[in-house]
Every structure is written in C-alpha cells, then in structure tokens.
Amino acid sequence: MKNFWIALAIVLALVGGIAGWGVSVSNRLVNLDELVNEKWSQVENVYQRRADLIPNLVNTVKGYAKHEAQVLEEVTKARSQVGQIRVNDPKSLQNFDQAQGQLTQALSRLMVVAEKYPELKADQNFLSLQSQLEGTENRISVERMRFNEAARDYNSYLRSFPQSLIASMRGFNARTYFQAESTAKTAPKVEF
C-alpha cells in the first residue's frame, strides 16, 4: 500500500510539473504575441504620422507648383489606398507594405517636383514639413526593425521544441516579417 501512495505521488508530481510547464509556455507565448502586437501598433502609429503630414505637404507644394497636379494626385491617391488596408494576416501585411511602398515612391516624386521650385525650397512651412517627413521616415525604419525583432523572438520561441507542441494546441501562428521591396535593390534615379 505504501508503494501505491509513493507511485501516486510521483505520477501526480509529474502531471503537475507537465501542466505547470504547459501553462508557463502558454503564458510566454501570449506575452511574446502581445509584444509583437505592440510593436505592430507602433509601426502603424508612425505610418499614421506620415499620413497626417502628407496633406499639409501637398497643400504647401500645390501653392507653388500648380501645374504638377498629376504628382500631387498620385500622392493623395497613394495615401488613401494605404488607409484602406487592415493587416490581419501575412497577405494583408504584404498588401500594406506594397501600398506603403507606392506612397513612398509618390512622395519621392513630390520631392523631385519641389526641387524644381527654388522659392518653395526656401519656404519655412515646406522646410519644416520636409524635415518632419524625413524624421518620420527614420522612425518608420526603426519601428519596422523593432517589429521584425519582436516577430523573430516570437517565431523562434514558437517554433522551438517542445514549445511548438503547446503553440500548435493553442493555435499560435508564426508572424510575417517586413521585407524590403524588390525595387529597393536598385537605387532610384533623381533627375532635375
């Protein structure tokens, strides 16, 4: 009888240990998932900051470059397309990233137009907006890097054995990274 109680205690300790480990892994996955969500929110935050600056920039340029309507229209259209995309899976992240890339290209063309107008380049409003936009682009880069780091940590933990067993039972899925666009491999040509 004494051996029965000892065996039962050992089995209960093993079951308790395994259950405790499972709960610990599950809680760690939740924490890492939330960290990735937080980093994604910060990426969206800096993209929103850029989107908020664009109308002011476009209106400032519009006053000087009235006949450059096509470029101004492209920037406005690209900005509105970005605002329509909601990211909730790898495909929508890819679509979001492509839309952001199109907006970046449109903004680059807008800056080229601005270079043609010396009086615009001297305008304090324009200079301030241009500086804010440059700072925002740097923030976007930093926040995307932080998101990728958080996604890496989450994905590494998620895919490691034996955590992968708990992750698959709980429905945790790997996160997609931001990647450079294929056009980023070639330097843009800027002509005046």
Side-chain angles (χ1 to χ4, degrees):
M1 188 70 158
K2 185 177 183 181
N3 288 340
F4 170 76
W5 291 111
I6 291 174
L8 182 61
I10 291 172
V11 168
L12 288 176
L14 282 173
V15 168
I18 291 171
W21 169 80
V23 168
S24 173
V25 167
S26 181
N27 287 341
R28 176 90 170 121
L29 284 166
V30 168
N31 287 336
L32 289 171
D33 187 47
E34 285 303 312
L35 180 64
V36 173
N37 290 337
E38 173 196 341
K39 298 301 180 186
W40 174 248
S41 292
Q42 190 56 28
V43 168
E44 287 183 322
N45 180 36
V46 291
Y47 273 130
Q48 183 61 52
R49 184 182 191 306
R50 176 169 80 166
D52 292 343
L53 286 171
I54 290 170
N56 294 331
L57 189 64
V58 167
N59 286 334
T60 302
V61 173
K62 204 183 275 185
Y64 287 93
K66 290 180 176 54
H67 63 281
E68 304 285 356
Q70 181 183 359
V71 172
L72 299 171
E73 193 175 300
E74 286 176 18
V75 172
T76 304
K77 181 181 175 188
R79 179 183 177 270
S80 70
Q81 287 174 340
V82 165
Q84 295 172 4
I85 299 173
R86 295 290 164 247
V87 176
N88 50 18
D89 60 28
K91 181 68 175 163
S92 60
L93 177 61
Q94 184 180 14
N95 292 341
F96 180 82
D97 205 25
Q98 285 176 334
Q100 289 292 347
Q102 290 171 348
L103 180 56
T104 299
Q105 290 173 354
L107 285 171
S108 294
R109 287 190 293 277
L110 180 67
M111 291 302 159
V112 169
V113 166
E115 288 294 323
K116 294 180 184 177
Y117 298 90
E119 64 277 4
L120 173 60
K121 290 191 315 186
D123 181 86
Q124 278 308 113
N125 255 353
F126 177 76
L127 292 174
S128 173
L129 288 167
Q130 187 178 24
S131 175
Q132 288 179 47
L133 191 59
E134 288 169 0
T136 299
E137 294 298 327
N138 290 335
R139 289 177 185 165
I140 288 169
S141 177
V142 167
E143 295 305 334
R144 286 176 60 161
M145 179 194 66
R146 288 179 181 164
F147 172 81
N148 280 346
E149 289 171 349
R152 178 206 57 219
D153 293 346
Y154 170 78
N155 290 342
S156 296
Y157 190 78
L158 177 86
R159 294 177 54 210
S160 298
F161 183 81
Q163 294 91 310
S164 59
L165 299 173
I166 301 295
S168 65
M169 289 189 309
R170 293 277 323 271
F172 286 95
N173 297 312
R175 292 299 190 92
T176 304
Y177 295 103
F178 272 107
Q179 297 179 352
E181 293 180 40
S182 59
T183 57
K185 293 176 184 174
T186 56
K189 287 186 179 180
V190 178
E191 297 176 14
F192 298 103

